Amino acid sequence: LDDMNILDSSIMNFIISVEKVAHVQPNNNIEHALLILIKSGYTAIPVLDTSFRLHGLISKAQILDSILGIEKIEPERLQKTLVSDVMTSDIARVKDTERFEKVLSFSINHPFICVESNEGSFLGIITRSKLLAYLNGFLHG
Amino acid sequence: LDDMNILDSSIMNFIISVEKVAHVQPNNNIEHALLILIKSGYTAIPVLDTSFRLHGLISKAQILDSILGIEKIEPERLQKTLVSDVMTSDIARVKDTERFEKVLSFSINHPFICVESNEGSFLGIITRSKLLAYLNGFLHG
Ligand SMILES: Nc1ncnc2c1ncn2[C@@H]1O[C@@H]2COP(=O)(O)O[C@H]3[C@@H](O)[C@H](n4cnc5c(N)ncnc54)O[C@@H]3COP(=O)(O)O[C@H]2[C@H]1O
Ligand SMILES: Nc1ncnc2c1ncn2[C@@H]1O[C@@H]2COP(=O)(O)O[C@H]3[C@@H](O)[C@H](n4cnc5c(N)ncnc54)O[C@@H]3COP(=O)(O)O[C@H]2[C@H]1O
């Protein structure tokens, strides 16, 4: 059980690949994004353009905040506002050549980490659930 | 670095104590719950009664699902529906005498675990973030 190896190991086995990742596009409206979020059941998902480049992530919280007026919910804002108006672009992202150590440290403050190829193509996400399942197995070595 | 010890260690140091945990009561309406969830910024929070007994947890997703009619959002349901109508009572919960091993295995599928005293009084929660921060430190031994 060599602790140094685990920190230094590749992240390829942890990636949930792009075709399994729920996502929306920057120019979708937030009504579409809210439907995708509710249907997928996720709190937040990546924002990818049609070339599968990563633009940010969008969460239910951001959408709810943007339709909450002073005294009531304003559903009409759902169609007028775009994902790109509401999303956060400050996200946890790594290249696929990155090591486990970096992804583990990102996971302390981020429920998932986005993985890109060296050319900037979105490859998938690494979730806390997968990291914890792996660490659980590792400690029962 | 003895892996057996970590699995066997106490969970007391990981608990975010009750006064720091955002929560709602079973007989609150879901409009109040949604405001607490939006203000606190959390995806889901525990449901505690006035004697601090744990009844379940409630999430933004559950509230959104309950106000989504067939074609539109129905804000009027926000005031008529109670937390107890919408919450889930099937949650990850342990006694404070439980060990790290159990909490780690729960964390694979649960973003947080509720901790209760032997008498059934809610003591706080253990989050994935705290477990990952600890494991990160442990592996850098
Ligand atoms: N449909 C489902 N089936 C089974 N368990 C489910 C589930 N939806 C959520 N969970 C559980 O709840 C945790 C938190 O999900 P959340 O949506 O807040 O936060 C998620 C979500 O924002 C994102 N995510 C996970 N899988 C995704 C996917 N396939 N596409 C897009 N985003 C995803 O990564 C975050 C962390 O995910 P993680 O798996 O660590 O942790 C998940 C998982 O343990
Ligand atoms: N105000 C804030 N400041 C800094 N970071 C924040 C934050 N709100 C959320 N985060 C980050 O986002 C993660 C997911 O939060 P979420 O609300 O989906 O899921 C949370 C939430 O449902 C619950 N939770 C955490 N702290 C809570 C508290 N004080 N009261 C009630 N519920 C809490 O436990 C879940 C896992 O929390 P965890 O800390 O592992 O993971 C958090 C944390 O890394």
Side-chain angles (χ1 to χ4, degrees):
Chain A
L1 273 180
D2 183 341
D3 293 314
M4 266 325 288
N5 277 356
I6 179 175
L7 292 175
D8 210 32
S9 48
S10 156
I11 62 172
M12 295 313 282
N13 294 333
F14 297 100
I15 301 173
I16 294 174
S17 58
V18 56
E19 65 276 3
K20 289 182 194 139
V21 175
H23 63 272
V24 287
Q25 293 174 18
N27 56 355
N28 291 150
N29 66 19
I30 60 173
E31 180 174 49
H32 174 76
L34 188 58
L35 282 172
I36 298 284
L37 283 165
I38 289 175
K39 260 193 188 164
S40 70
Y42 296 118
T43 298
I45 56 178
V47 179
L48 310 176
D49 64 26
T50 47
S51 310
F52 287 93
R53 288 189 175 260
L54 179 62
H55 287 248
L57 70 83
I58 190 162
S59 68
K60 277 173 187 155
Q62 286 165 333
I63 295 175
L64 280 175
D65 281 349
S66 68
I67 63 171
L68 269 186
I70 299 299
E71 282 192 340
K72 60 179 178 54
I73 290 183
E74 297 177 15
E76 59 287 355
R77 286 197 201 174
L78 281 170
Q79 290 174 345
K80 286 185 208 150
T81 314
L82 297 185
V83 166
S84 52
D85 300 330
V86 173
M87 71 185 184
T88 180
S89 42
D90 173 24
I91 52 177
R93 59 202 297 175
V94 297
K95 300 290 182 197
D96 57 346
T97 47
E98 192 49 83
R99 294 293 149 194
F100 182 83
E101 180 175 17
K102 182 79 186 160
V103 168
L104 178 60
S105 85
F106 263 148
S107 77
I108 296 168
N109 290 311
H110 299 275
F112 67 94
I113 295 102
C114 291
V115 184
E116 299 168 279
S117 69
N118 266 329
E119 298 72 44
S121 202
F122 179 81
L123 297 177
I125 62 173
I126 295 178
T127 60
R128 278 174 166 173
S129 176
K130 277 221 170 172
L131 293 172
L132 287 159
Y134 179 75
L135 290 164
N136 187 52
F138 176 78
L139 289 175
H140 284 84
Chain B
L1 273 176
D2 183 341
D3 293 318
M4 267 325 288
N5 277 357
I6 179 176
L7 292 174
D8 210 31
S9 49
S10 156
I11 63 172
M12 295 313 282
N13 293 334
F14 296 101
I15 300 173
I16 295 174
S17 58
V18 57
E19 65 276 2
K20 289 183 195 139
V21 176
H23 63 273
V24 288
Q25 293 175 17
N27 57 354
N28 290 151
N29 66 21
I30 60 172
E31 180 175 47
H32 174 76
L34 188 58
L35 281 173
I36 298 285
L37 283 164
I38 289 174
K39 260 194 188 161
S40 70
Y42 296 119
T43 298
I45 56 178
V47 179
L48 310 176
D49 64 26
T50 48
S51 309
F52 286 95
R53 293 197 169 256
L54 179 61
H55 287 247
L57 71 84
I58 190 161
S59 68
K60 278 175 188 155
Q62 287 164 332
I63 296 176
L64 280 175
D65 281 350
S66 68
I67 64 172
L68 268 188
I70 299 298
E71 285 193 336
K72 60 182 177 56
I73 290 183
E74 298 177 15
E76 59 286 357
R77 286 197 200 174
L78 280 170
Q79 288 173 349
K80 286 186 213 146
T81 314
L82 298 184
V83 166
S84 52
D85 299 330
V86 173
M87 70 185 184
T88 180
S89 42
D90 171 24
I91 51 177
R93 58 202 297 174
V94 298
K95 299 290 182 202
D96 57 345
T97 47
E98 192 49 84
R99 294 293 148 192
F100 182 84
E101 180 175 17
K102 181 79 186 158
V103 169
L104 178 60
S105 86
F106 263 147
S107 77
I108 295 169
N109 290 311
H110 299 275
F112 66 95
I113 296 102
C114 291
V115 184
E116 300 168 278
S117 69
N118 265 328
E119 299 71 45
S121 203
F122 179 81
L123 297 176
I125 62 173
I126 294 178
T127 60
R128 278 174 165 172
S129 176
K130 278 222 170 169
L131 293 173
L132 286 159
Y134 179 75
L135 290 165
N136 186 53
F138 175 79
L139 289 176
H140 284 84

